[in-house]
Amino acid sequence: MRVLIVEDDVATRKGLEQAIRDLGGETKSVGTAGEANRAVEDFNPEVLVVDVHLPDGDGIEVFRTASEADPGRDGIVITGQGSLDSAVEALRAGVSDYLVKPLRPAQLEVVFQRLTSRRGLQSEVESLRDELQETGKLGELIGRSESMRKIFETIRRVAKSNAPVLITGQSGTGKEVVARTIHRLSRRSSMPFVAFNCGAISPTLIESELFGHERGAFTGADKRRIGYFEEANGGTLFLDEITEMGAELQVKLLRVLEAKTVRRVGGSQDLRVDVRLISATNRDPQEGIRDGKLREDLYYRLNVFPIELPPLSSRREDIPLLAEHFRRHIEEQENSGVTGWDPKAIELLARHDWPGNVRELRNVVHRACVMSEKGTIGPDVVRELLPRQETPAGPRPPRPRSDSKKTAKRGARS
Amino acid sequence: MTSSPEGAVSGEANLRRFFHDVATPLSAVSLHLERAARLASRGEDPSDALATARRELERAFALFEQGRENLLAGPSGG
């Protein structure tokens, strides 16, 4: 483990360096914030041990900068003045531990053992992720096609960051699955994932759903209600069909993203929230801007990391893998005795155009399992389930909005 | 202890400064003593680590004396 020690007191710095080396760390130590910023570049530390007060700056700020460059970095802050303010600031910056001087070697050892064990687990998770990617899976996402591999890579990158993500793609391509996967791979995974479909609620109610309301805020508000932003605090909020949100509310959302505070409807207090926002739309966002459905300033705020999901018809090579994945999943649930596919049935699935994308494929596989006798799913069953298509299979142009989910979901801790 | 809010603030700041000043060499003392113990248990020479610990302990004493004088003479020391 590469550890950068940033401490201006020479004797303490040397003592820390030796103690951490004895604990198995590879160390580099410096005495100022300026030297630390350069050492982060050259030494590429995995952990920073920083004193809060440095002659030329603030140690927490040094960690914050290093952590922005690589969110996988851990930080241990040490201070001679154990004030609550600096502890809170350090924790907000994402440090793992906060130690007050005088340092006790036993305390340092415990902190390092904990960090080593956590980082070991993290690297195990990383290697499992790599393995899953090799086998064509990332979380609940399935695919070996070039387009899906690129999406897996993007997801792995964005999961490490807190930046907003905008997912675009036709209905049924798995936008919510992508959002859940980002959340599960992120540092927020132990906190709530809350999904909300802006198209499923009347525009007049969206504000109180998102921001909550105080008792008596409007007729029928007989008690205080926590909104989705507060519910997702510390975790991730997924806003589907973002273009269905009214223009006035888009302004409020923009304000929340900038100030990181929400105010309940009828409330007078701004409440601080720490929420990672992932939004999605099945419209072309640029078209949404032209049609006045999406504010341009909000679009740029949401679209820090864009992810565009391809329609299933443009990644036909994934269809056999998906079909088999769904069959196994259904078999586990229903124990229908269906053990596999006749190759001709798979061929039919692979040639179909799938206007409803992965969701439609999953439904067809489910029905095929129910309709099949024990053994393999044959081509006759599949032929019966697939609607006739007038045009031969091939890449399709983007479709206009079609089926939108009509239910808003409150998320559960995942 | 204090006669004005400004005095209280300054007294608290002085006290924090004092703790910070003394805690730093004490950290070095404990780290270097631990280092000396580890070296000795491996049959290596601990004298450098012990010398540093001793030097830092003397520094902590000096800072303690100096801080006590300042605090007792200051507005909160009364």
Side-chain angles (χ1 to χ4, degrees):
Chain A
M1 191 156 64
R2 283 185 309 282
V3 184
L4 176 65
I5 299 156
V6 191
E7 162 65 64
D8 59 325
D9 183 74
V10 180
T12 307
R13 189 166 75 224
K14 214 168 175 56
L16 277 169
E17 198 170 353
Q18 284 161 343
I20 292 168
R21 273 188 198 158
D22 284 339
L23 291 167
E26 182 191 338
T27 60
K28 180 175 177 70
S29 62
V30 294
T32 65
E35 286 171 339
N37 291 331
R38 283 190 293 277
V40 166
E41 302 254 317
D42 304 336
F43 182 59
N44 189 22
E46 294 163 276
V47 179
L48 282 91
V49 178
V50 288
D51 190 1
V52 173
H53 300 286
L54 296 168
D56 59 339
D58 179 349
I60 296 173
E61 206 45 51
V62 168
F63 172 72
R64 210 192 303 269
T65 308
S67 169
E68 274 167 12
D70 179 355
R73 285 186 174 125
D74 281 300
I76 297 171
V77 162
I78 45 179
T79 174
Q81 303 179 6
S83 79
L84 187 63
D85 286 351
S86 63
V88 169
E89 196 198 337
L91 292 172
R92 278 209 181 119
V95 305
S96 316
D97 272 288
Y98 182 86
L99 298 174
V100 179
K101 286 180 186 172
L103 298 170
R104 289 174 182 81
Q107 203 178 5
L108 194 66
E109 195 174 335
V110 168
V111 165
F112 261 84
Q113 276 169 353
R114 200 163 53 205
L115 204 62
T116 308
S117 147
R118 193 162 60 75
R119 292 190 72 86
L121 279 173
Q122 252 169 12
S123 103
E124 204 177 317
V125 169
E126 287 280 339
S127 72
L128 278 171
R129 276 180 208 156
D130 290 344
E131 203 179 306
L132 283 173
Q133 196 168 353
E134 286 295 304
T135 58
K137 283 177 77 177
L138 184 70
E140 294 169 46
L141 290 163
I142 311 282
R144 281 202 193 112
S145 57
E146 190 52 34
S147 57
M148 286 311 282
R149 280 177 188 271
K150 280 184 185 158
I151 284 167
F152 287 179
E153 194 43 51
T154 308
I155 288 172
R156 283 155 48 91
R157 271 206 308 273
V158 303
K160 289 180 186 170
S161 132
N162 274 325
V165 177
L166 178 63
I167 307 168
T168 53
Q170 294 175 3
S171 283
T173 46
K175 294 185 285 293
E176 186 174 335
V177 180
V178 168
R180 277 186 191 280
T181 307
I182 293 171
H183 174 74
R184 281 178 58 190
L185 298 181
S186 76
R187 286 182 167 199
R188 297 173 175 264
S189 61
S190 61
M191 300 305 280
F193 174 87
V194 178
F196 176 66
N197 187 331
C198 304
I201 297 269
S202 127
T204 52
L205 287 176
I206 295 182
E207 183 175 0
S208 86
E209 292 287 320
L210 278 180
F211 306 135
H213 61 72
E214 294 293 344
R215 185 178 174 194
F218 47 82
T219 311
D222 53 352
K223 56 183 177 185
R224 170 190 281 178
R225 185 184 174 285
I226 300 295
Y228 293 130
F229 264 99
E230 280 183 80
E231 201 177 309
N233 198 16
T236 306
L237 177 61
F238 173 58
L239 296 181
D240 201 359
E241 297 194 35
I242 190 80
T243 52
E244 300 307 301
M245 190 182 273
E248 198 185 322
L249 200 55
Q250 288 188 23
V251 176
K252 289 185 178 168
L253 179 62
L254 187 63
R255 205 176 301 139
V256 169
L257 291 174
E258 277 162 3
K260 297 187 193 318
T261 58
V262 292
R263 182 177 290 195
R264 295 186 194 125
V265 176
S268 56
Q269 258 191 317
D270 289 329
L271 306 163
R272 196 150 190 86
V273 284
D274 168 27
V275 170
R276 202 256 174 95
L277 192 70
I278 302 180
S279 46
T281 176
N282 52 14
R283 297 173 69 107
D284 173 0
Q286 296 295 346
E287 199 179 287
I289 292 169
R290 278 197 300 275
D291 296 350
K293 299 283 281 180
L294 180 63
R295 285 182 62 98
E296 194 169 9
D297 46 6
L298 179 63
Y299 166 70
Y300 287 116
R301 197 73 182 76
L302 297 174
N303 194 39
V304 178
F305 269 113
I307 296 182
E308 191 181 345
L309 294 179
L312 186 55
S313 57
S314 75
R315 54 179 189 111
R316 292 181 186 281
E317 63 268 48
D318 290 337
I319 292 174
L321 196 65
L322 281 161
E324 177 57 9
H325 168 78
F326 292 138
R327 184 201 65 76
R328 282 180 189 222
H329 186 67
I330 293 158
E331 176 59 21
E332 273 171 26
Q333 287 180 330
E334 303 203 352
N335 205 18
S336 56
V338 173
T339 54
W341 296 89
D342 182 304
K344 282 181 187 157
I346 287 287
E347 201 182 314
L348 283 173
L349 292 177
R351 281 170 50 196
H352 186 65
D353 235 4
W354 302 110
N357 293 298
V358 180
R359 189 185 295 140
E360 185 190 3
L361 172 65
R362 189 184 57 202
N363 292 342
V364 166
V365 173
H366 198 158
R367 285 159 64 199
C369 287
V370 172
M371 286 170 66
S372 293
E373 297 295 325
K374 288 185 192 315
T376 54
I377 302 171
D380 294 345
V381 171
V382 171
R383 203 172 287 121
E384 204 175 313
L385 290 172
L386 294 179
R388 281 168 192 241
Q389 288 172 346
E390 289 172 6
T391 52
R396 290 168 65 90
R399 298 169 63 246
R401 270 192 75 212
S402 57
D403 59 315
S404 56
K405 283 175 275 177
K406 293 297 173 202
T407 51
K409 285 158 287 179
R410 293 198 88 130
R413 282 170 193 273
S414 56
Chain B
M1 286 275 289
T2 55
S3 55
S4 68
E6 293 80 13
V9 170
S10 134
E12 190 187 320
N14 285 342
L15 205 54
R16 284 190 178 282
R17 181 81 221 166
F18 170 69
F19 286 141
H20 175 265
D21 288 351
V22 178
T24 299
L26 281 180
S27 293
V29 171
S30 79
L31 290 167
H32 285 277
L33 279 181
E34 180 69 17
R35 168 83 176 152
R38 274 197 305 268
L39 288 170
S41 70
R42 297 199 298 246
E44 294 173 42
D45 181 11
S47 51
D48 276 356
L50 283 173
T52 308
R54 184 175 177 172
R55 201 169 51 240
E56 290 302 305
L57 192 58
E58 279 165 10
R59 184 157 73 106
F61 264 106
L63 288 164
F64 178 80
E65 293 292 346
Q66 191 187 330
R68 184 168 59 184
E69 292 297 316
N70 290 344
L71 285 169
L72 291 176
S76 63

